[in-house]
Amino acid sequence: MALGCLPVSARTIGMQRAPAPSVGMRSRLALPGVAGRTHRVECTGDLTVNPIQRQTLGTATVDGAGEVQFVDPAPLPLRRFYRAVEQ
């Protein structure tokens, strides 16, 4: 299994596999940000195509502690690359 992260800025996106009740494993993303700002979370399974075709998974808002967390609703794939875009 290969999971990759593509941050829009130099900030690091943390990633881990997380159990989700009754549905198996999911990818959970965590990244720092400015409290109250919203990010669009996107993914792709292939970075070799041009242009890269990304799917929007959803949005997440940075909490008061300066962190945003997002759980990918899809089952854990063999390979998926993520990025978060501040809106």
Side-chain angles (χ1 to χ4, degrees):
M1 169 186 1
L3 296 173
C5 300
L6 295 175
V8 174
S9 67
R11 297 183 208 172
T12 300
I13 295 177
M15 171 157 241
Q16 61 181 316
R17 293 172 11 147
S22 76
V23 292
M25 299 299 286
R26 298 288 189 253
S27 298
R28 181 175 9 164
L29 311 168
L31 65 139
V34 177
R37 294 198 180 166
T38 300
H39 291 75
R40 181 179 67 250
V41 179
E42 301 175 342
C43 71
T44 184
D46 188 355
L47 295 175
T48 63
V49 297
N50 189 10
I52 295 173
Q53 298 176 1
R54 293 184 175 92
Q55 172 187 359
T56 298
L57 297 175
T59 59
T61 302
V62 181
D63 64 21
E67 183 172 271
V68 62
Q69 292 196 23
F70 182 85
V71 176
D72 186 341
L76 196 62
L78 292 176
R79 179 174 61 181
R80 184 171 275 179
F81 301 91
Y82 296 90
R83 77 174 184 175
V85 180
E86 188 174 300
Q87 295 187 317

